[in-house]
Amino acid sequence: MSTLYQDALRAGQDAVRTTILDCAINLLVTDGPAALTMRRIATDIGSSTKVLYTMFGGKEGLIDALYREGFARLRRVQEQVPRTEDPLTHLTHIGVAYREHALAEPAYYRVMFEQTVPGFRPSPEALAVAETAFDASAAAVAACMEAGIFRPGDAREVSKIFWAASHGAVSLEIAGHFPPEDGGRHYNALMAAVARAFSTRHESANEEQGTRT
């Protein structure tokens, strides 16, 4: 019977890397940070530790790779959201994709945002990957501004405000503070509230109300 490593090796180096990262993230979830050793991972996938050291340089490099992988997956998910004619609808769909992805891969989410591994600090390269993960969201916000739906401003900064709101709601849901039947409703209400804060329609309504009073 072939090992996980041997099966992955036949598919190429990208498959080997994914197999190692999947094993590492599963160990982190099931047994905690202390179980995340090069020897344990090598044993579980049926490879030598030399393979892991060659690919990642050591445990710190492996954790850094998990961090980068989490953001790379998040970026792909958001970039794959189909475009719609209405920019605000597209932005809303990106927000929904963010929540669904976080709930589908909570282990990566914790590595990315919750310092699951004590003492880990992402490398400058990993932080650069994290920064690009929200390009699709920033572009969607910019499209809303260009269409006159949102007030003019710094699209990337506004997208970070959406991200902060999304992150808070998703973190509470993952932690069990929002039951599954309520999580989506709370999330959608929060995203709508943030959108109203930047909406030109909301601004016009406030001006009209001020004129009446």
Side-chain angles (χ1 to χ4, degrees), residues 144-201:
C144 287
M145 291 177 175
E146 291 168 6
I149 297 171
F150 287 174
R151 299 188 302 275
D154 187 325
R156 185 163 289 276
E157 286 303 309
V158 172
S159 72
K160 287 182 178 179
I161 294 173
F162 274 95
W163 174 25
S166 300
H167 174 76
V170 168
S171 295
L172 288 171
E173 188 171 359
I174 289 176
H177 295 292
F178 293 163
E181 62 272 19
D182 293 337
R185 178 168 54 82
H186 292 329
Y187 186 85
N188 292 338
L190 179 60
M191 291 301 97
V194 175
R196 284 196 298 274
F198 297 100
S199 173
T200 53
R201 299 165 188 168

Side-chain angles (χ1 to χ4, degrees), residues 20-21 23-24 27 32-66:
I20 294 171
L21 294 179
C23 178
L27 277 176
L36 200 62
T37 67
M38 305 301 261
R39 184 174 297 278
R40 174 68 183 276
I41 296 169
T43 298
D44 284 3
I45 68 172
S47 76
S48 66
T49 55
K50 181 179 178 180
V51 171
L52 275 69
Y53 281 106
T54 298
M55 293 190 73
F56 301 104
K59 181 178 178 179
E60 189 74 12
L62 175 63
I63 299 169
D64 202 67
L66 287 173

